[in-house]
Amino acid sequence: MILSENNVFLLKNDNISYMFRVTEHGNLEHLHFGLPIQLGDVDALSVKYGTGWGSNSGPEGEEFPMYYPLEWSCLGTGDYRESPTEFAGEDPAGFKFSYAKTYEAIVPIKCSLPQARGKAETLEIVLAYVGGLTLHLFYTLFDTAITRRAVLVNNTDQPVTVTKLMSYMLDIQGDYEMTTFNGSWIAEMRSYRAKVGLSGIVNESTTGFSSALHNPGFILNEPGATEECGEVLGFNLIYSGNHYARVQKTNEGLTRITQGISPVDFEWVLKPTERFETPEGVLVYSNKGFGGMSENMHRFINEHIVPVTWQGKDRPILYNDWEGCMFNFNEAKLLSLAKKAKKLGCELFVLDDGWFGERDSDKAGLGDYDVNKKKLPNGLSGLQKKLENIGLSFGLWFEPEAVNPDSKLYRAHPEWALHANSGVTVLGRNELLLDLSKAEVRDYIVDNVSKCIDEGHVSYVKWDMNRHSTALGATAHKCVMGLYDVLNRIFTDRPEVLLESCSSGGNRFDLGMLCFSPQIWSSDDTDAVERFHIQYNLSYLYPLSTMGAHVSAAPHSQTLRDTPLTTRGNISFFGLLGYEFDLDELTPVETDEIMNQIEFYKEHRHTFQFGNFRRLKATEGISMQVSDGRETIVGLFHELVYAAPGYEKIYPVGLIQDKRYNVERSKQLQNASKFGGLLKVVLPVKVHPDGLVVRTAGKRYRMQDSVQTCSASGAALMSGLSLNARFMGTGYDPQMRMQGDFISNIYLLTEES
Ligand code: DGJ
């Protein structure tokens, strides 16, 4: 509900509340963002300024200078913290409160920017600028999040040049640590935590897109917060372009947070009567630690960001031909893979890059949409019909925003390519970007992609984008708006088509794309162990239902790591399971194991994809769980083992203390050759550990460890389930867990009826 009294505004539900008031000078004093409170709490919450600090300054007549928590601020007012608004050559007088309006729904953004959807209430605060501009601050209250955005309207008779307009500004009291997620291609979502100091921390992207360099989402926590306890706030932006956030502490004990479109090189000329809309910022609060914050963020994304058709809807298990074939395939090869994928239990066959134009490498063909008849003589529809007969639906890869200079499109329309502001041609993966601010470029993409989807009866689209942009400022923003327009036009009328966004992996893992594509390819780093960390860090801000996570070949092509198939599967379970390697090379024992993996995942798919997720403490290794209340699945993942391990436990959370649960641990399967010289000791016959006998046996047989089962109360399990001892070379016990580097186990806890 939204309450207001005496110029105090309170947005409140059972989980959160947000409160501010209008001061006697027309400024907005921020009072609270956190647990549900009451309108009568103003006095308890407002800062006590006293006689103030000697160095403070403020507008004439305002005895209360600008160093208190505010909802909005401007340069030139005596507030020397980060400003959310800047204009070129404008009189820098502040915005003052004009009026407020409430709505029992979302207020739609009036441009192609995506926005959160579903049941919500909105408060609009209108601020008037001395020069005649109005700034509209929108606060939308969802179950577990508040979204904020700002809209600037030019009511004057002169154009105004905006050089910075953030989506929101928030001043909170206290010391915080800030976690950002940074990285690069195949190294997405590395987390960095630092204390927020007086100079602040900036998290921004200037690559044209949200980028793997600096994900727009970030976290603030009170020092000492854990997974289960303490105040943790999550922030994100529903935007896929250049973004900027700064979190800055002040000497007075306040912390200012601003986030929005990157101001680098930004100049937006707003003509009389025009409005400039900023993307929506997302603010989440929990006093139940990082886990509570993630739960709130996950719920918000699952219920208010992803397209309605896909909310809570199980995602198909797919096979993608990319890592198995790259550009080298024909219809016969694809069908051979498809038959095997079907036998394994896959539901969707995705044909990745290389199906069109002269696309035999990444040097040519991008921008063209005519099917490569040498590879696919029967076209897309011919392939789709054969896949349908096999029992698989058909998914197709596109990279519509880019063009190779060696393509029919570029030869016909070189002027459609986007060149850097400097005039220098900058190539990335042999591509140029198309200028999506041009209507004719957008029409070309919409027409061609739509035609291919319809002709090929395509039920899944992988929308890729494989380079950074060199466009900055308004140009970059217009291209992002162009992309949203294109996505709207293609997919609004085709809601049943599942869209997976990808940008060389997770280079555009953001809430803007998630408004169109319910899932995103987490990383081109398909090494399970590496991607496990990417998934783990994504989980702070994004639900498992959004993370494409495929099982790939081992040894892995980027790391040369030989991760057991069991672990590769277990890691992908905590995401959207898929397979991506040459299935014609599978051995019988691998085929069996994958069939079992898929069967297990299908049985628990909804819990994995949409269950309540938690990162857990573990005696050793990394642990996490998903739960639908009835069943809880705990994963325990180890990296390098060491000799003489101690006793181990896992610590599930959220169980009902006096309920009883059946516990069952899945098997860890290992190739016998891993046991090296030990084989000579345990087997009755002498074998060479790397000899023909062991290698041949390895194609049909795996060493299996025990299945630990027990029945226990929720209270006992949450105190720590004692795990079977590990193999440590001192003998054989049928109950032990057989270990080695990069092993993992899945524990299924089912409520007893
Ligand atoms: C980058 C993607 O992330 C890969 O999965 C694959 O689709 C290639 N592009 C194809 O060029």
Side-chain angles (χ1 to χ4, degrees):
M1 70 186 94
I2 298 176
L3 304 168
S4 75
E5 197 178 86
N6 298 332
N7 272 344
V8 177
F9 297 93
L10 172 64
L11 296 94
K12 171 183 173 174
N13 60 27
D14 292 343
N15 302 310
I16 40 168
S17 65
Y18 192 109
M19 185 155 82
F20 56 91
R21 72 178 183 110
V22 184
T23 69
E24 58 185 299
H25 301 294
N27 301 317
L28 301 181
E29 179 188 355
H30 174 81
L31 294 166
H32 174 81
F33 174 42
L35 292 178
I37 54 159
Q38 298 170 0
L39 268 179
D41 295 335
V42 177
D43 193 33
L45 294 169
S46 60
V47 286
K48 308 297 179 284
Y49 179 69
T51 53
W53 292 271
S55 60
N56 278 182
S57 42
E60 194 180 3
E62 294 189 21
E63 74 289 353
F64 197 55
M66 297 302 279
Y67 268 77
Y68 56 102
L70 291 164
E71 287 296 304
W72 202 264
S73 184
C74 282
L75 288 176
T77 55
D79 182 355
Y80 297 104
R81 294 167 285 182
E82 176 86 20
S83 171
T85 10
E86 286 176 32
F87 301 101
E90 290 295 309
D91 180 347
F95 284 100
K96 299 289 180 189
F97 177 76
S98 177
Y99 64 92
K101 262 171 112 173
T102 54
Y103 307 81
E104 285 180 0
I106 280 156
V107 176
I109 296 183
K110 294 186 174 138
C111 66
S112 65
L113 282 173
Q115 108 184 84
R117 51 193 129 214
K119 199 167 162 286
E121 289 170 86
T122 305
L123 170 66
E124 178 183 8
I125 297 286
V126 183
L127 304 178
Y129 186 62
V130 176
L133 299 169
T134 52
L135 184 71
H136 302 243
L137 303 181
F138 290 93
Y139 298 78
T140 304
L141 175 68
F142 294 89
D143 295 346
T144 60
I146 302 262
T147 63
R148 286 193 52 185
R149 61 191 177 89
V151 178
L152 186 71
V153 182
N154 185 357
N155 305 312
T156 72
D157 54 7
Q158 295 296 316
V160 171
T161 304
V162 185
T163 54
K164 181 181 183 188
L165 185 61
M166 295 288 99
S167 294
Y168 66 90
M169 179 189 109
L170 176 67
D171 285 348
I172 51 177
Q173 225 168 320
D175 275 334
Y176 289 92
E177 291 170 347
M178 178 174 180
T179 307
T180 55
F181 298 93
N182 315 97
S184 68
W185 177 65
I186 65 169
E188 294 91 343
M189 294 301 285
R190 298 197 169 159
S191 78
Y192 296 85
R193 186 170 302 166
K195 194 169 157 35
V196 178
L198 297 181
S199 304
I201 299 174
V202 167
N203 185 51
E204 75 175 331
S205 163
T206 52
T207 66
F209 304 101
S210 50
S211 92
L213 277 60
H214 307 282
N215 192 280
F218 60 92
I219 302 169
L220 296 184
N221 66 281
E222 64 169 328
T226 64
E227 275 300 321
E228 301 294 324
C229 301
E231 295 211 317
V232 180
L233 290 84
F235 300 86
N236 213 331
L237 196 64
I238 307 181
Y239 190 57
S240 313
N242 289 331
H243 60 86
Y244 174 85
R246 184 165 178 216
V247 180
Q248 178 195 15
K249 198 188 144 181
T250 74
N251 208 35
E252 293 77 19
L254 299 174
T255 297
R256 170 163 293 180
I257 303 128
T258 49
Q259 189 175 28
I261 297 172
S262 163
V264 173
D265 214 18
F266 192 81
E267 281 200 0
W268 192 278
V269 180
L270 203 62
K271 298 199 196 97
T273 75
E274 280 183 353
R275 54 198 282 134
F276 183 79
E277 306 258 358
T278 61
E280 208 168 11
V282 177
L283 290 67
V284 155
Y285 168 88
S286 175
N287 67 346
K288 296 200 178 70
F290 289 91
M293 185 281 297
S294 296
E295 181 181 343
N296 289 343
M297 199 59 113
H298 291 189
R299 265 185 65 189
F300 172 73
I301 293 172
N302 277 328
E303 292 168 16
H304 298 288
I305 291 290
V306 300
V308 175
T309 318
W310 291 96
Q311 287 177 7
K313 186 169 173 187
D314 288 359
R315 310 294 162 69
I317 297 161
L318 66 85
Y319 173 75
N320 179 306
D321 78 319
W322 174 247
E323 292 200 7
C325 301
M326 302 256 157
F327 296 100
N328 187 13
F329 59 84
N330 56 30
E331 195 187 76
K333 174 70 182 174
L334 297 181
L335 293 173
S336 158
L337 293 169
K339 281 179 198 143
K340 296 202 167 70
K342 174 68 187 170
K343 182 176 169 208
L344 295 173
C346 292
E347 297 154 329
L348 166 72
F349 185 93
V350 179
L351 172 56
D352 210 282
D353 198 353
W355 57 267
F356 50 87
E358 298 298 313
R359 189 79 172 156
D360 293 322
S361 75
D362 61 15
K363 293 193 172 59
L366 210 56
D368 300 337
Y369 289 85
D370 47 318
V371 174
N372 184 316
K373 287 287 172 106
K374 277 186 253 149
K375 294 179 188 174
L376 299 177
N378 302 304
L380 294 176
S381 60
L383 176 64
Q384 184 272 330
K385 277 190 200 101
K386 290 179 184 157
L387 290 172
E388 195 179 320
N389 288 339
I390 292 171
L392 292 169
S393 46
F394 180 36
L396 195 58
W397 178 97
F398 295 89
E399 190 178 346
E401 296 157 76
V403 61
N404 284 127
D406 184 3
S407 66
K408 284 190 209 157
L409 177 67
Y410 188 76
R411 282 186 282 276
H413 288 290
E415 78 286 4
W416 282 9
L418 190 68
H419 291 279
N421 293 1
S422 62
V424 178
T425 300
V426 179
L427 286 165
R429 207 195 184 206
N430 309 302
E431 303 166 8
L432 292 167
L433 286 170
L434 290 170
D435 184 352
L436 268 71
S437 71
K438 290 190 163 76
E440 58 276 29
V441 174
R442 297 199 297 273
D443 291 347
Y444 174 81
I445 296 173
V446 171
D447 291 349
N448 281 290
V449 174
S450 306
K451 195 162 148 263
C452 294
I453 292 176
D454 295 342
E455 276 179 16
H457 297 280
V458 169
S459 63
Y460 159 107
V461 165
K462 180 172 172 187
W463 186 289
D464 205 348
M465 221 289 301
N466 283 305
R467 59 159 295 176
H468 297 310
S469 175
T470 44
L472 291 166
T475 312
H477 180 58
K478 283 178 189 161
C479 286
V480 175
M481 303 271 282
L483 167 67
Y484 292 144
D485 173 58
V486 162
L487 291 170
N488 261 320
R489 284 164 62 193
I490 299 174
F491 294 102
T492 306
D493 289 342
R494 297 177 180 80
E496 72 294 343
V497 174
L498 174 60
L499 179 60
E500 178 155 346
S501 160
C502 168
S503 181
S504 297
N507 197 38
R508 203 160 56 179
F509 209 116
D510 62 60
L511 298 183
M513 291 312 288
L514 284 174
C515 284
F516 301 93
S517 68
Q519 56 195 64
I520 297 180
W521 182 226
S522 307
S523 180
D524 274 357
D525 186 350
T526 55
D527 173 279
V529 176
E530 293 257 311
R531 212 211 27 249
F532 177 69
H533 291 282
I534 295 170
Q535 287 169 242
Y536 190 82
N537 285 336
L538 277 170
S539 80
Y540 281 95
L541 294 167
Y542 304 95
L544 302 197
S545 65
T546 62
M547 303 174 196
H550 300 172
V551 173
S552 64
H556 189 258
S557 54
Q558 286 151 354
T559 58
L560 309 184
R561 193 187 341 261
D562 196 359
T563 309
L565 182 55
T566 309
T567 291
R568 283 180 275 151
N570 290 347
I571 288 174
S572 292
F573 291 166
F574 283 83
L576 300 170
L577 180 67
Y579 289 83
E580 186 156 344
F581 51 81
D582 191 346
L583 300 180
D584 289 334
E585 289 164 6
L586 277 182
T587 63
V589 75
E590 288 168 332
T591 304
D592 284 352
E593 190 173 354
I594 294 177
M595 284 168 76
N596 289 335
Q597 286 178 347
I598 293 182
E599 197 184 322
F600 178 78
Y601 186 76
K602 279 183 179 166
E603 224 172 286
H604 307 285
R605 167 171 20 199
H606 201 74
T607 307
F608 275 121
Q609 296 183 354
F610 298 100
N612 194 323
F613 171 85
R614 275 288 189 283
R615 293 167 295 271
L616 302 179
K617 72 173 178 179
T619 330
E620 198 196 302
I622 304 175
S623 183
M624 42 184 157
Q625 77 169 42
V626 282
S627 176
D628 74 350
R630 195 186 49 85
E631 64 174 18
T632 298
I633 305 166
V634 177
L636 176 62
F637 301 88
H638 289 280
E639 296 196 349
L640 300 183
V641 284
Y642 54 86
Y647 295 116
E648 257 185 285
K649 284 190 167 193
I650 50 164
Y651 298 89
V653 294
L655 305 178
I656 301 171
Q657 291 195 11
D658 55 2
K659 276 253 174 211
R660 290 203 70 80
Y661 295 83
N662 287 317
V663 179
E664 185 171 348
R665 173 172 63 77
S666 65
K667 288 177 197 152
Q668 168 76 41
L669 305 183
Q670 308 257 24
N671 199 332
S673 63
K674 201 162 187 173
F675 289 79
L678 270 183
L679 289 176
K680 286 189 269 189
V681 184
V682 296
L683 293 179
V685 286
K686 274 218 154 68
V687 290
H688 190 292
D690 194 31
L692 187 64
V693 176
V694 174
R695 272 190 279 126
T696 312
K699 292 186 181 155
R700 307 204 160 266
Y701 176 76
R702 284 278 183 275
M703 306 282 281
Q704 309 193 359
D705 59 5
S706 65
V707 174
Q708 180 177 1
T709 54
C710 70
S711 158
S713 67
L717 291 170
M718 290 190 289
S719 309
L721 167 67
S722 183
L723 308 184
N724 282 3
R726 292 210 222 161
F727 171 79
M728 51 181 121
T730 49
Y732 179 73
D733 167 359
Q735 292 309 317
M736 73 194 169
R737 287 178 294 146
M738 247 175 325
Q739 306 283 279
D741 290 344
F742 312 113
I743 60 89
S744 60
N745 289 112
I746 298 283
Y747 295 81
L748 176 63
L749 282 49
T750 323
E751 212 179 275
E752 278 178 17
S753 42

